[in-house]
Amino acid sequence: MDDDDSKDSRRASAQSFFQSLDELFDYIEAANTEAAQPQSPPPEAKSASQPSSPPKKAKPAKINLSDFEDAIADLEQFIQNKRQNRESNQ
């Protein structure tokens, strides 16, 4: 009985983990899309009361999406192999 609860807990944790990874991937993708679009300076930056200085640009994220996708695939494969090993040992 405890073994079933443990499996359910692990399964729920794995699902939650992958859902979080999906959300993180969506967030990174959205951030990269926003960073790629040119932004005009805010209206108050054009006022004469402020000294004119070049706007500071945020540094782009140095995340290679292909590497991130590969890491997710590796994690999925690892979990699948662990699950198969446990099933074969029982």
Side-chain angles (χ1 to χ4, degrees):
M1 195 59 94
D2 289 332
D3 192 38
D4 288 338
D5 290 340
S6 177
K7 285 181 183 178
D8 289 342
S9 177
R10 287 184 194 140
R11 186 175 298 117
S13 295
Q15 288 174 342
S16 176
F17 175 74
F18 284 114
Q19 181 178 0
S20 295
L21 283 178
D22 287 340
E23 290 172 6
L24 177 61
F25 180 74
D26 291 342
Y27 174 79
I28 291 170
E29 195 172 60
N32 284 341
T33 301
E34 289 175 8
Q37 296 174 350
Q39 297 178 352
S40 61
E44 60 265 15
K46 295 179 183 177
S47 71
S49 64
Q50 294 180 348
S52 116
S53 63
K56 294 182 181 178
K57 294 183 179 178
K59 293 183 180 179
K62 295 182 179 180
I63 298 175
N64 185 338
L65 293 180
S66 176
D67 290 342
F68 187 70
E69 290 171 342
D70 291 344
I72 292 172
D74 290 343
L75 286 169
E76 289 174 338
Q77 183 65 39
F78 173 78
I79 290 172
Q80 188 175 20
N81 288 342
K82 283 288 193 181
R83 191 174 296 147
Q84 289 173 351
N85 287 342
R86 286 192 183 133
E87 290 174 359
S88 67
N89 288 337
Q90 291 179 356

